[in-house]
Amino acid sequence: MKINLILKKTVDLEALDHGLSLFVWRVYARIRFRTIDGWTEERLAIVDTGSPYSTIPAPLWEVLEKKAHFKTKISGIVPHSKVFLKAILADVDGALVDSRNVTEPLAFPAFLADSREVPIILGFARLLEKFKLVVDTPQNRAWVEL
Amino acid sequence: MSYPNPQPSQIPTKEYDWAFAHYPALTKKFPNEWIAFLAGRVLAHGKDPVRVLERAKKVTKVDREIPTLFIEKGIHIYAF
C-alpha cells in the first residue's frame, strides 16, 4: 500500500532578509488518531526522520485512546538543562491517510507534550520504521509504502 | 470493543497547497499558532489546536473536515 505525503517548500524569510534565497522544506503526513469511540479528524503531521519518537501537543492527545508509560522531559538542540518540555510517553493508535488509502491502525509510542505550541511530529519508533519512505524533492512528491 | 475503521482523507490537497503558497504571510500574521482554513481563507487561529478547530466549525456551515496547520516561525529543528 502507498500513502501519498505532502511536500512543503517555502521561502526562508530570515535568509531572504540577508540576501539569501533559501527554501524551507517539510514533509507532512495526514494522520487520524484513535479516540475512545472512533477516530479524530485528519491532522497534518511533520514526518521527521531525525526524531526517534513521535510527539503530540496538548490538548490534542487528551481525547485519544492511550496507555501512559512514564513522565519525561523532551528537549531540542539547545544544550541547556532548563530548556525542555514536560511530556508523558504513551502508546497511541494512528492511521496514515491520503485521498484514497488508509493504513491499518498502527500502535506507536508518542510523547504527549504539555505544550500546545508544538506541531505533531511523526518519528521512527514503531511508526516510520515500518515504512519505506520516499522523498523525491526534484519531482515534488513523497510517499510511504507498507 | 469494536471500532469504526478510519476513513481516507476528505481534504483536497489543494487546500494545503493554498496554505503553503501563503506560508510567509501566514507566518507574519500567526507566528507559532494553529490555523484552521478553508477555500483560501483562515477561519480561526490561536494557540490551542482543539479550540481553533471548534471555532472554525462554528464559522463555516459546510459539512466536511476542515484543514488545520501549525505555523512555524523561523527554523525549528526538533531533536529529542
Side-chain angles (χ1 to χ4, degrees), chain A residues 5-10 23-28 133-143:
Chain A
L5 306 177
I6 298 175
L7 270 177
K8 183 197 80 167
K9 179 188 177 187
T10 55
F23 295 101
V24 179
W25 289 88
R26 282 281 190 219
V27 182
Y28 289 94
L133 172 64
V134 179
V135 180
D136 183 357
T137 45
Q139 296 298 320
N140 199 38
R141 59 185 183 173
W143 66 89

Side-chain angles (χ1 to χ4, degrees), chain A:
Chain A
M1 177 189 292
K2 179 178 171 182
I3 300 285
N4 287 312
L5 306 177
I6 298 175
L7 270 177
K8 183 197 80 167
K9 179 188 177 187
T10 55
V11 174
D12 182 347
L13 294 177
E14 183 182 12
L16 195 61
D17 286 343
H18 291 82
L20 294 170
S21 181
L22 297 173
F23 295 101
V24 179
W25 289 88
R26 282 281 190 219
V27 182
Y28 289 94
R30 306 170 193 213
I31 188 168
R32 298 187 192 279
F33 295 102
R34 193 196 297 271
T35 65
I36 294 170
D37 56 0
W39 294 86
T40 65
E41 292 173 296
E42 163 185 330
R43 293 283 186 173
L44 214 56
I46 294 173
V47 175
D48 186 353
T49 59
S51 182
Y53 292 102
S54 300
T55 300
I56 304 170
L60 278 182
W61 51 260
E62 290 175 3
V63 297
L64 304 187
E65 182 85 347
K66 54 192 175 288
K67 179 185 178 185
H69 291 299
F70 57 87
K71 294 180 180 178
T72 186
K73 298 173 181 176
I74 53 178
S75 55
I77 63 168
V78 179
H80 196 295
S81 61
K82 292 183 179 177
V83 180
F84 61 84
L85 289 177
K86 292 180 181 177
I88 298 168
L89 187 71
D91 285 336
V92 298
D93 289 347
L96 301 188
V97 305
D98 68 12
S99 59
R100 293 183 180 178
N101 295 316
V102 181
T103 66
E104 291 294 315
L106 300 158
F108 61 92
F111 289 128
L112 310 181
D114 74 350
S115 172
R116 301 174 299 179
E117 296 174 55
V118 292
I120 303 168
I121 295 169
L122 304 184
F124 267 102
R126 296 183 190 165
L127 188 60
L128 297 184
E129 69 182 22
K130 295 187 175 182
F131 300 109
K132 175 184 177 181
L133 172 64
V134 179
V135 180
D136 183 357
T137 45
Q139 296 298 320
N140 199 38
R141 59 185 183 173
W143 66 89
V144 291
E145 290 177 19
L146 268 176

